[in-house]
Short mmCIF file of all heavy atoms in Angstrom, two decimals:
data_model
loop_
_atom_site.label_atom_id
_atom_site.label_comp_id
_atom_site.label_asym_id
_atom_site.label_seq_id
_atom_site.Cartn_x
_atom_site.Cartn_y
_atom_site.Cartn_z
N HIS G 164 90.94 -119.83 92.61
CA HIS G 164 92.14 -119.98 91.77
C HIS G 164 92.65 -121.39 91.67
O HIS G 164 93.83 -121.71 91.50
CB HIS G 164 93.32 -119.16 92.36
CG HIS G 164 92.95 -117.67 92.56
ND1 HIS G 164 92.64 -116.82 91.41
CD2 HIS G 164 92.79 -116.89 93.64
CE1 HIS G 164 92.35 -115.60 91.82
NE2 HIS G 164 92.42 -115.60 93.17
N TYR G 166 92.50 -123.74 89.11
CA TYR G 166 92.08 -123.77 87.70
C TYR G 166 92.08 -125.16 87.13
O TYR G 166 91.35 -125.47 86.25
CB TYR G 166 93.04 -122.88 86.88
CG TYR G 166 92.88 -121.40 87.34
CD1 TYR G 166 93.77 -120.84 88.13
CD2 TYR G 166 91.74 -120.73 87.00
CE1 TYR G 166 93.67 -119.49 88.54
CE2 TYR G 166 91.55 -119.42 87.40
CZ TYR G 166 92.54 -118.79 88.13
OH TYR G 166 92.34 -117.51 88.59
N HIS G 167 92.89 -126.10 87.68
CA HIS G 167 92.80 -127.46 87.19
C HIS G 167 91.42 -128.07 87.47
O HIS G 167 90.80 -128.68 86.63
CB HIS G 167 93.92 -128.36 87.82
CG HIS G 167 95.23 -128.22 87.20
ND1 HIS G 167 95.50 -128.49 85.93
CD2 HIS G 167 96.43 -127.73 87.76
CE1 HIS G 167 96.80 -128.28 85.65
NE2 HIS G 167 97.38 -127.84 86.72
N THR G 194 91.74 -118.99 83.39
CA THR G 194 93.02 -119.69 83.48
C THR G 194 94.07 -118.81 82.72
O THR G 194 95.19 -118.59 83.23
CB THR G 194 92.97 -121.08 83.01
OG1 THR G 194 92.00 -121.81 83.69
CG2 THR G 194 94.32 -121.73 83.17
N ILE G 195 93.75 -118.40 81.51
CA ILE G 195 94.66 -117.63 80.69
C ILE G 195 95.05 -116.32 81.38
O ILE G 195 96.14 -115.86 81.46
CB ILE G 195 94.08 -117.31 79.25
CG1 ILE G 195 93.98 -118.74 78.52
CG2 ILE G 195 94.87 -116.31 78.51
CD1 ILE G 195 93.12 -118.54 77.22
N GLY G 196 94.00 -115.62 81.90
CA GLY G 196 94.24 -114.33 82.57
C GLY G 196 95.14 -114.55 83.81
O GLY G 196 96.07 -113.76 84.00
N PHE G 197 94.93 -115.56 84.59
CA PHE G 197 95.73 -115.84 85.84
C PHE G 197 97.20 -116.16 85.45
O PHE G 197 98.08 -115.59 86.01
CB PHE G 197 95.13 -117.01 86.61
CG PHE G 197 95.95 -117.35 87.79
CD1 PHE G 197 95.94 -116.72 88.90
CD2 PHE G 197 96.82 -118.45 87.70
CE1 PHE G 197 96.65 -117.07 90.03
CE2 PHE G 197 97.59 -118.84 88.78
CZ PHE G 197 97.49 -118.12 89.98
N VAL G 198 97.37 -117.01 84.44
CA VAL G 198 98.80 -117.46 84.02
C VAL G 198 99.57 -116.23 83.57
O VAL G 198 100.69 -116.06 83.96
CB VAL G 198 98.63 -118.64 83.01
CG1 VAL G 198 100.06 -118.80 82.39
CG2 VAL G 198 98.09 -119.81 83.65
N PHE G 199 98.94 -115.48 82.61
CA PHE G 199 99.71 -114.40 82.01
C PHE G 199 99.97 -113.20 82.94
O PHE G 199 100.79 -112.42 82.75
CB PHE G 199 99.07 -113.97 80.70
CG PHE G 199 99.41 -114.83 79.53
CD1 PHE G 199 98.51 -115.80 79.16
CD2 PHE G 199 100.63 -114.78 78.89
CE1 PHE G 199 98.83 -116.66 78.10
CE2 PHE G 199 100.89 -115.54 77.73
CZ PHE G 199 100.02 -116.58 77.40
N ARG G 200 99.11 -113.13 83.99
CA ARG G 200 99.19 -112.05 84.93
C ARG G 200 100.33 -112.29 85.98
O ARG G 200 100.91 -111.38 86.56
CB ARG G 200 97.84 -111.85 85.63
CG ARG G 200 97.75 -110.56 86.46
CD ARG G 200 96.30 -110.20 86.78
NE ARG G 200 95.67 -111.33 87.59
CZ ARG G 200 94.58 -112.06 87.19
NH1 ARG G 200 94.14 -111.83 85.97
NH2 ARG G 200 94.04 -112.97 87.89
N HIS G 201 100.59 -113.60 86.18
CA HIS G 201 101.55 -113.94 87.23
C HIS G 201 102.88 -114.59 86.73
O HIS G 201 103.73 -114.89 87.54
CB HIS G 201 100.92 -114.91 88.20
CG HIS G 201 99.82 -114.30 89.00
ND1 HIS G 201 98.50 -114.26 88.64
CD2 HIS G 201 99.76 -113.66 90.26
CE1 HIS G 201 97.74 -113.63 89.49
NE2 HIS G 201 98.52 -113.27 90.53
N GLN G 202 102.97 -114.79 85.47
CA GLN G 202 104.22 -115.48 84.96
C GLN G 202 104.74 -114.78 83.75
O GLN G 202 103.99 -114.11 82.96
CB GLN G 202 103.95 -116.97 84.63
CG GLN G 202 103.56 -117.78 85.92
CD GLN G 202 103.23 -119.23 85.50
OE1 GLN G 202 103.10 -119.59 84.37
NE2 GLN G 202 102.94 -120.05 86.54
N ARG G 203 106.09 -114.97 83.45
CA ARG G 203 106.62 -114.45 82.23
C ARG G 203 106.09 -115.20 81.02
O ARG G 203 105.61 -116.30 81.15
CB ARG G 203 108.12 -114.63 82.25
CG ARG G 203 108.88 -113.84 83.36
CD ARG G 203 110.36 -113.74 83.16
NE ARG G 203 110.92 -115.06 83.03
CZ ARG G 203 111.30 -115.86 84.01
NH1 ARG G 203 111.12 -115.46 85.25
NH2 ARG G 203 111.81 -117.02 83.75
N PHE G 204 106.16 -114.59 79.87
CA PHE G 204 105.47 -115.07 78.69
C PHE G 204 105.81 -116.50 78.36
O PHE G 204 104.88 -117.37 78.17
CB PHE G 204 105.80 -114.19 77.48
CG PHE G 204 105.05 -114.59 76.24
CD1 PHE G 204 103.74 -114.24 76.06
CD2 PHE G 204 105.68 -115.40 75.26
CE1 PHE G 204 103.07 -114.62 74.93
CE2 PHE G 204 104.96 -115.76 74.09
CZ PHE G 204 103.68 -115.37 73.91
N VAL G 205 107.09 -116.90 78.31
CA VAL G 205 107.51 -118.25 77.94
C VAL G 205 107.02 -119.28 79.01
O VAL G 205 106.44 -120.28 78.68
CB VAL G 205 108.99 -118.29 77.76
CG1 VAL G 205 109.38 -119.82 77.51
CG2 VAL G 205 109.44 -117.43 76.62
N VAL G 206 107.14 -118.96 80.20
CA VAL G 206 106.74 -119.76 81.33
C VAL G 206 105.23 -119.88 81.30
O VAL G 206 104.66 -121.00 81.54
CB VAL G 206 107.22 -119.30 82.64
CG1 VAL G 206 106.72 -120.15 83.76
CG2 VAL G 206 108.73 -119.20 82.71
N ALA G 207 104.53 -118.81 80.96
CA ALA G 207 103.10 -118.75 80.95
C ALA G 207 102.58 -119.72 79.93
O ALA G 207 101.56 -120.44 80.14
CB ALA G 207 102.57 -117.38 80.79
N ILE G 208 103.21 -119.69 78.72
CA ILE G 208 102.77 -120.61 77.63
C ILE G 208 102.89 -122.05 78.07
O ILE G 208 101.98 -122.85 77.82
CB ILE G 208 103.62 -120.32 76.38
CG1 ILE G 208 103.31 -118.96 75.74
CG2 ILE G 208 103.34 -121.39 75.35
CD1 ILE G 208 101.96 -118.79 75.30
N TRP G 209 103.93 -122.41 78.69
CA TRP G 209 104.22 -123.78 79.12
C TRP G 209 103.18 -124.12 80.22
O TRP G 209 102.59 -125.26 80.17
CB TRP G 209 105.65 -123.98 79.68
CG TRP G 209 105.89 -125.25 80.25
CD1 TRP G 209 106.17 -125.59 81.51
CD2 TRP G 209 105.82 -126.57 79.56
NE1 TRP G 209 106.30 -126.95 81.66
CE2 TRP G 209 106.22 -127.58 80.49
CE3 TRP G 209 105.57 -126.86 78.19
CZ2 TRP G 209 106.24 -128.89 80.07
CZ3 TRP G 209 105.69 -128.25 77.83
CH2 TRP G 209 106.03 -129.24 78.78
N SER G 210 102.99 -123.26 81.13
CA SER G 210 101.87 -123.53 82.19
C SER G 210 100.47 -123.73 81.54
O SER G 210 99.75 -124.54 81.99
CB SER G 210 101.91 -122.40 83.14
OG SER G 210 103.11 -122.26 83.84
N LEU G 211 100.24 -122.85 80.57
CA LEU G 211 98.95 -122.93 79.88
C LEU G 211 98.75 -124.26 79.21
O LEU G 211 97.66 -124.83 79.17
CB LEU G 211 98.76 -121.78 78.90
CG LEU G 211 97.40 -121.41 78.46
CD1 LEU G 211 96.53 -121.07 79.66
CD2 LEU G 211 97.47 -120.25 77.50
N LEU G 212 99.84 -124.80 78.63
CA LEU G 212 99.76 -126.07 77.94
C LEU G 212 99.49 -127.17 78.97
O LEU G 212 98.69 -128.15 78.68
CB LEU G 212 101.11 -126.38 77.25
CG LEU G 212 101.29 -125.63 75.89
CD1 LEU G 212 102.69 -125.87 75.36
CD2 LEU G 212 100.22 -125.95 74.85
N LYS G 213 100.02 -127.07 80.13
CA LYS G 213 99.81 -128.12 81.18
C LYS G 213 98.31 -127.99 81.66
O LYS G 213 97.77 -129.02 81.89
CB LYS G 213 100.81 -127.82 82.34
CG LYS G 213 102.20 -128.20 81.96
CD LYS G 213 103.10 -128.34 83.29
CE LYS G 213 103.30 -127.00 83.89
NZ LYS G 213 104.17 -126.98 85.04
N TYR G 214 97.87 -126.79 81.78
CA TYR G 214 96.50 -126.63 82.21
C TYR G 214 95.50 -127.24 81.13
O TYR G 214 94.51 -127.87 81.44
CB TYR G 214 96.09 -125.20 82.44
CG TYR G 214 96.46 -124.66 83.80
CD1 TYR G 214 97.43 -123.62 83.95
CD2 TYR G 214 95.84 -125.13 84.89
CE1 TYR G 214 97.74 -123.12 85.18
CE2 TYR G 214 96.16 -124.66 86.25
CZ TYR G 214 97.09 -123.64 86.32
OH TYR G 214 97.35 -123.18 87.56
#
Side-chain angles (χ1 to χ4, degrees):
H164 304 297
Y166 296 104
H167 282 298
T194 304
I195 292 169
F197 175 80
V198 167
F199 280 98
R200 194 165 56 247
H201 292 88
Q202 296 177 352
R203 297 192 308 272
F204 183 79
V205 175
V206 179
I208 293 294
W209 176 244
S210 297
L211 199 58
L212 286 174
K213 290 193 292 184
Y214 275 117

